Amino acid sequence: RQTRLELHTMSASIFGESRQQGASSLISMKAGKLSLNGSTVNADSRKGLLLVRKSEDGLMHFIWKDRTANTVEDDLIIFPGDASLKHLPQCQDGFAMLLEFTTGRRLFFWSQEARKKG
């Protein structure tokens, strides 16, 4: 069964009016990048951080940051209905995700969070 997080279905909680001043992280997760080679994805060994953040101007940002270098590599503005984040159950040795835009652009990530036992 495929898990799918549609960013546009979360519009009430994510895209609604902000009650705080300044940028606020709505989602934060340790995650690395994956590159697609044919039908296989290969892991980038860098330690990363995925963030979904609402900026002061109300725009939603999907950010990937290199935790070691402390640099932002991707900062994508996402609008309601623009993209969905899906779990990829085909990955048997970890937790892989696909960020897929309505334009067809696809970005792959893998969880670097500690796995819970049980």
Side-chain angles (χ1 to χ4, degrees):
R1 183 173 168 188
Q2 188 172 9
T3 303
R4 180 180 176 139
L5 167 67
E6 295 204 25
L7 297 177
H8 69 273
T9 62
M10 297 172 48
S11 61
S13 59
I14 290 182
F15 291 100
E17 291 296 318
S18 176
R19 295 181 183 156
Q20 301 174 359
Q21 293 291 340
S24 59
S25 291
L26 302 168
I27 298 170
S28 176
M29 170 184 193
K30 293 176 186 173
K33 290 181 143 190
L34 293 167
S35 58
L36 182 63
N37 297 316
S39 62
T40 304
V41 289
N42 296 313
D44 181 329
S45 63
R46 293 178 293 170
K47 294 179 180 180
L49 183 67
L50 276 181
L51 300 164
V52 175
R53 178 178 291 160
K54 190 169 188 176
S55 62
E56 291 180 17
D57 58 7
L59 294 175
M60 196 62 55
H61 293 258
F62 186 93
I63 299 165
W64 187 83
K65 181 178 182 178
D66 181 321
R67 289 187 285 143
T68 303
N70 199 30
T71 57
V72 172
E73 187 167 303
D74 295 308
D75 186 351
L76 308 169
I77 295 174
I78 298 177
F79 296 98
D82 204 18
S84 61
L85 186 63
K86 304 172 190 175
H87 168 239
L88 299 175
Q90 300 90 334
C91 178
Q92 300 296 314
D93 59 351
F95 188 86
M97 299 162 282
L98 164 63
L99 177 66
E100 187 169 31
F101 289 86
T102 55
T103 60
R105 182 176 182 187
R106 301 184 316 167
L107 300 172
F108 296 87
F109 302 94
W110 60 282
S111 174
Q112 294 175 334
E113 294 286 344
R115 294 184 114 181
K116 296 178 183 174
K117 294 184 180 186

